[in-house]
Amino acid sequence: AEEDAADKVLDRIEGILDDPEFSDKWDAAEGADVVDDDNLPWPVLEDLQAIAVGRVSLPKGHYLLSATGVTPDSVENYTVSWIIDGGLQWKAYQDYLNGTVQTVNRSIDGFYSYKFMGLDPTDGRPIFPITATTEEEFGEKFSSMTNEERYMSQMVYSGERTPFLSGGISNTFTWNRFSMSLFLSYSIGSKIRLLRLYSSINSSNLTMAPDPMENVRSEIKRRWKNPGDETKTSIPGILSNNAFKETVSYNTEWWRSRSYNAAIGRKDVADHIWQMYDYSDIRVVSGDYLKISSLSVRYNIPENILKKVGIRSAYVGFSGTNLYTFCSKKLNGQDPTQSGSSSTITQSVRPTYSLTLNVSF
């Protein structure tokens, strides 16, 4: 399929170059004393550029092809030069997780996540397709896979990062001396990640237990603690120091070894299982929400009362922002406008309140 896509683009380029309109305008340009946009085949060239500039998926990567026509404004002996730029762009697993890779039949803003298969009943570590198989079972096939095939064997499509519909609704109500303004904002159609649980884990850590000065999300209290908990929770347990070190070591995880990656021109599918968990499909939730963004209530004090104290006009008011958000319960307090890729604990958007007294003499 990848080779067919490349052949189609090349056939289209060849067809444009063989187009009689292209040839006629090119001949006219060669016979002209002054070269300008009127006698160069730019309309056809723009069509060519629209076809050529883009990504052609090849078996060993992604090739970028661009075509540019260059000519001086007015010269006696003009020269038209073509600049063909190409380069292999190897897509890493981060591009699929972040949604910066365009794949067939998927949204241009879609992203992928690792397939979460549950928790290990012995110690509560997360399980994924690559960790559920042994080197003897999957090693040979894994070696023969392209980078994209590897990623797709471990990931699933999660949805779109941006909503297909978003906006706000402004409302104003008045009754006698009271007035109220209400602004609602909404978003429909996006998916977001929950904030990361293991952002500080790396191979230099001696333990996966949180640092005494480190903030952690409250959901860690619902983690796996004893065999059988894997049926009640999806939050991994805290491993012993030795077991944890093995999960972040290149020497113990066969699929992370150099012989299966850099040595044969392939990229890693992940850093470790804790990073895979933070970017797994179990940590993806709906980003739909309806938010009471602001509310203000105002009361104009009657003039007959104000005249008695020498005041020309006055009103009192109350206002608030970020008052309430209707969203998925799976967010666990996380605001749906916050990114789940943050490496730090992020406080949700807090409500604010204010009272106002305005007096004019």
Side-chain angles (χ1 to χ4, degrees):
E2 293 176 333
E3 294 178 348
D4 290 343
D7 291 340
K8 288 181 179 179
V9 173
L10 295 175
D11 289 342
R12 177 64 177 134
I13 293 174
E14 183 179 357
I16 292 174
L17 294 176
D18 292 337
D19 193 313
E21 180 184 358
F22 182 90
S23 301
D24 294 341
K25 287 197 173 184
W26 194 267
D27 293 339
E30 288 185 324
D33 294 330
V34 177
V35 179
D36 56 29
D37 286 348
D38 292 331
N39 53 28
L40 274 178
W42 295 127
V44 179
L45 294 183
E46 289 174 358
D47 187 16
L48 170 62
Q49 193 171 25
I51 296 296
V53 177
R55 179 174 61 83
V56 179
S57 182
L58 299 176
K60 293 187 177 181
H62 301 291
Y63 192 80
L64 295 175
L65 174 66
S66 64
T68 306
V70 180
T71 180
D73 290 336
S74 178
V75 291
E76 183 174 354
N77 296 316
Y78 68 89
T79 299
V80 175
S81 63
W82 290 92
I83 303 174
I84 305 295
D85 296 325
L88 288 175
Q89 289 193 339
W90 295 94
K91 295 299 183 182
Y93 67 81
Q94 295 93 335
D95 297 306
Y96 289 82
L97 299 175
N98 297 332
T100 56
V101 171
Q102 286 75 57
T103 54
V104 178
N105 297 326
R106 296 299 186 188
S107 168
I108 195 172
D109 208 30
F111 68 100
Y112 290 78
S113 302
Y114 293 108
K115 303 173 186 176
F116 177 73
M117 298 179 64
L119 301 177
D120 190 314
T122 59
D123 58 11
R125 70 179 66 191
I127 302 173
F128 302 95
I130 193 69
T131 65
T133 59
T134 64
E135 183 176 6
E136 291 73 20
E137 295 172 333
F138 195 58
E140 183 177 352
K141 182 177 181 180
F142 189 67
S143 296
S144 64
M145 287 181 168
T146 64
N147 285 327
E148 184 171 5
E149 288 172 341
R150 290 182 173 199
Y151 303 148
M152 292 300 94
S153 71
Q154 305 302 315
M155 298 180 185
V156 291
Y157 183 72
S158 293
E160 299 181 30
R161 295 177 300 164
T162 56
F164 74 85
L165 182 63
S166 63
I169 303 173
S170 181
N171 307 273
T172 302
F173 308 93
T174 59
W175 180 74
N176 290 336
R177 295 184 175 276
F178 288 94
S179 63
M180 182 181 75
S181 295
L182 174 66
F183 182 75
L184 305 173
S185 58
Y186 61 89
S187 176
I188 302 173
S190 68
K191 297 288 186 178
I192 60 175
R193 296 191 192 278
L194 295 177
L195 295 174
R196 294 162 61 185
L197 286 180
Y198 305 106
S199 59
S200 60
I201 285 183
N202 55 63
S203 58
S204 63
N205 290 109
L206 299 179
T207 175
M208 68 174 295
D211 186 275
M213 301 299 292
E214 180 185 358
N215 290 323
V216 296
R217 287 180 58 81
S218 60
E219 59 187 308
I220 200 72
K221 294 185 295 184
R222 296 186 284 105
R223 68 184 181 276
W224 184 99
K225 298 176 183 177
N226 299 293
D229 288 349
E230 64 275 5
T231 63
K232 308 172 186 176
T233 181
S234 61
I235 308 298
I238 296 179
L239 274 58
S240 66
N241 288 354
N242 290 334
F244 164 71
K245 292 175 186 177
E246 291 180 355
T247 65
V248 295
S249 172
Y250 281 93
N251 298 323
T252 54
E253 298 283 9
W254 67 267
W255 48 273
R256 296 183 66 209
S257 67
R258 179 178 175 81
S259 60
Y260 282 102
N261 296 287
I264 58 173
R266 297 291 186 271
K267 288 186 173 290
D268 294 342
V269 297
D271 287 347
H272 45 69
I273 61 173
W274 309 107
Q275 181 236 19
M276 295 175 77
Y277 179 80
D278 278 340
Y279 288 90
S280 67
D281 54 351
I282 196 68
R283 305 287 293 173
V284 175
V285 299
S286 170
D288 297 351
Y289 69 85
L290 174 65
K291 177 181 290 190
I292 304 177
S293 298
S294 64
L295 171 68
S296 64
V297 179
R298 173 172 164 173
Y299 175 72
N300 295 304
I301 301 174
E303 290 80 358
N304 59 341
I305 297 178
L306 297 175
K307 288 180 180 179
K308 295 178 181 180
V309 292
I311 299 177
R312 183 163 59 88
S313 64
Y315 68 83
V316 293
F318 165 82
S319 62
T321 61
N322 299 311
L323 297 179
Y324 192 80
T325 302
F326 301 91
C327 59
S328 172
K329 293 181 179 180
K330 295 180 180 179
L331 284 167
N332 297 317
Q334 176 181 330
D335 193 279
T337 61
Q338 292 176 317
S339 170
S341 60
S342 173
S343 60
T344 58
I345 298 298
T346 305
Q347 189 179 40
S348 62
V349 179
R350 312 308 299 166
T352 61
Y353 308 94
S354 61
L355 289 171
T356 304
L357 174 61
N358 185 283
V359 179
S360 297
F361 295 94

